Amino acid sequence: MGKSKEKKNRSLEVEEERADAMGKQFETINVKIKEISENPEKKISPVIGYFPSGFDPSKNSEESNSKSGVISSVKVYKNPKRNPKNPRLEVVVGVGGSAVNFVGTSYSGEARTPQLCNYALGVLDKETGVLKMVPIAANKIFRLEPKVAGLEQPENESRDADKETEAYEERNEKFMNVTRMYSTKKNIRRDEKRETLRKTDDVGAQEGMEQKLEGIKVNMEALEAVSSTANARNIPPHDLEANEVEMAYPLDRIILKGEWDYLQDIFHKVHGGSELAQDVYPSFVLNRVHTVQKIKDESSRRRMAGILSYITHLVRFKDRHSMDGVLSAKLHKLPSILSQKFSTMFASTTEKRLPQDKLDLLISYVLVLSLFADDFRSDPSDIARDLRMNPLTLRTHYESLGCKFVRENLSLVATLPVPLTFQTIKIKRKRQK
């Protein structure tokens, strides 16, 4: 069991209750306390359990002369792969003459409730005046539930999984409640937005997919285009059957609902009459602030300002992971909710620089949003300067998005015809000699 530890100058007054004809009398005893430490590698600590069903083993053994109804075996199972300091135990109490076993675990059922105190078993020796305190196994009191051997239903596993899921959701809800009660307003808003994004990604995407599965039509030409240009094009979510230009690249699938509250910096500056800092915002955004000021409807003005803010965050995230744009990214404050999203979508876990395929995807997101900002007639000169790219090279990215270039006032402007059509790349096969 381990070495015993005797606490110095520690005593306990124990009141012994004795009943007589006149009433109750108490005797006070001074005892010494010895605490025996736990050593699970050598011996297991005592196990304490109780029978919630009302089964009384001591009463049954006294009343019954046969072995029926008497505890016949007590077995303790331990998972050897678990940490010895936090073992997973299972206690099985067998009853003679019955197929019923009483089973209790340290990891399921009542044992999963929060542990708010420590338990120990005390043994008092009146002759020596010593009270030995022994810790109990797993610091748990086992609830011994009756189970019939051979009648375990397969559906119990699914029920346990459902219960674990419910317990997980309940635990998360408790953490959220604690955050709302004691945390700062910034942290509260952050957690609420993360929860909104999680629900949007999990539930909304599934519901939308289920609705589109019924009566879906396969566009073979689009499949051939995608298969032939899979390595040449990396684009945001799109709809090949959209007949309206704004639905070709749905904005609500690019900027999620919970992210708009973090894209209000340009709106507040324009509404307050302050100018945007030249060294913080890209030239594309600075050249289009006047369009935000001209919009009379507040919701449309917030939408346009949010798009420009999102472009700013994408461009500065690219600068942060490039050699020539680090200085411009130092002054930029990227919201944590967007930083986490961009890191998942575009960044690499092994290298500081963005992988080429992820970089192409980021550029595609910037170009699509720039089309929204320019009412789908965009001059690529200033956004090419912000992305630190050659306009001719950037033109291929526009074309991979399905854009067409038209000449307007002696300059080329990118437009987006609908429905979307992508260029296909024909690969010539070498003739076998």
mmCIF file of all heavy atoms in Angstrom, residues 2 286 373 398 401:
data_model
loop_
_atom_site.group_PDB
_atom_site.id
_atom_site.type_symbol
_atom_site.label_atom_id
_atom_site.label_comp_id
_atom_site.label_asym_id
_atom_site.label_seq_id
_atom_site.Cartn_x
_atom_site.Cartn_y
_atom_site.Cartn_z
ATOM 1 N N GLY A 2 2.149 1.102 0.359
ATOM 2 C CA GLY A 2 3.006 2.275 0.399
ATOM 3 C C GLY A 2 3.389 2.628 1.814
ATOM 4 O O GLY A 2 2.916 2.063 2.791
ATOM 5 N N LEU A 286 -8.068 52.213 -51.065
ATOM 6 C CA LEU A 286 -8.028 53.668 -50.972
ATOM 7 C C LEU A 286 -8.689 54.323 -52.188
ATOM 8 O O LEU A 286 -9.322 55.379 -52.056
ATOM 9 C CB LEU A 286 -6.575 54.132 -50.842
ATOM 10 C CG LEU A 286 -5.843 53.691 -49.568
ATOM 11 C CD1 LEU A 286 -4.375 54.077 -49.645
ATOM 12 C CD2 LEU A 286 -6.483 54.310 -48.329
ATOM 13 N N ALA A 373 -16.563 44.652 -55.616
ATOM 14 C CA ALA A 373 -16.367 46.070 -55.284
ATOM 15 C C ALA A 373 -16.504 46.967 -56.506
ATOM 16 O O ALA A 373 -16.934 48.125 -56.388
ATOM 17 C CB ALA A 373 -14.987 46.260 -54.643
ATOM 18 N N TYR A 398 -7.510 35.934 -63.582
ATOM 19 C CA TYR A 398 -8.875 36.369 -63.914
ATOM 20 C C TYR A 398 -9.534 35.381 -64.879
ATOM 21 O O TYR A 398 -10.714 35.014 -64.717
ATOM 22 C CB TYR A 398 -8.843 37.761 -64.549
ATOM 23 C CG TYR A 398 -8.852 38.901 -63.557
ATOM 24 C CD1 TYR A 398 -7.719 39.675 -63.344
ATOM 25 C CD2 TYR A 398 -10.009 39.225 -62.859
ATOM 26 C CE1 TYR A 398 -7.720 40.730 -62.456
ATOM 27 C CE2 TYR A 398 -10.028 40.290 -61.966
ATOM 28 C CZ TYR A 398 -8.878 41.033 -61.759
ATOM 29 O OH TYR A 398 -8.889 42.076 -60.871
ATOM 30 N N LEU A 401 -10.922 32.311 -63.432
ATOM 31 C CA LEU A 401 -12.186 32.519 -62.728
ATOM 32 C C LEU A 401 -13.374 32.599 -63.678
ATOM 33 O O LEU A 401 -14.520 32.700 -63.206
ATOM 34 C CB LEU A 401 -12.123 33.808 -61.903
ATOM 35 C CG LEU A 401 -11.123 33.836 -60.743
ATOM 36 C CD1 LEU A 401 -11.015 35.248 -60.166
ATOM 37 C CD2 LEU A 401 -11.530 32.864 -59.652
#
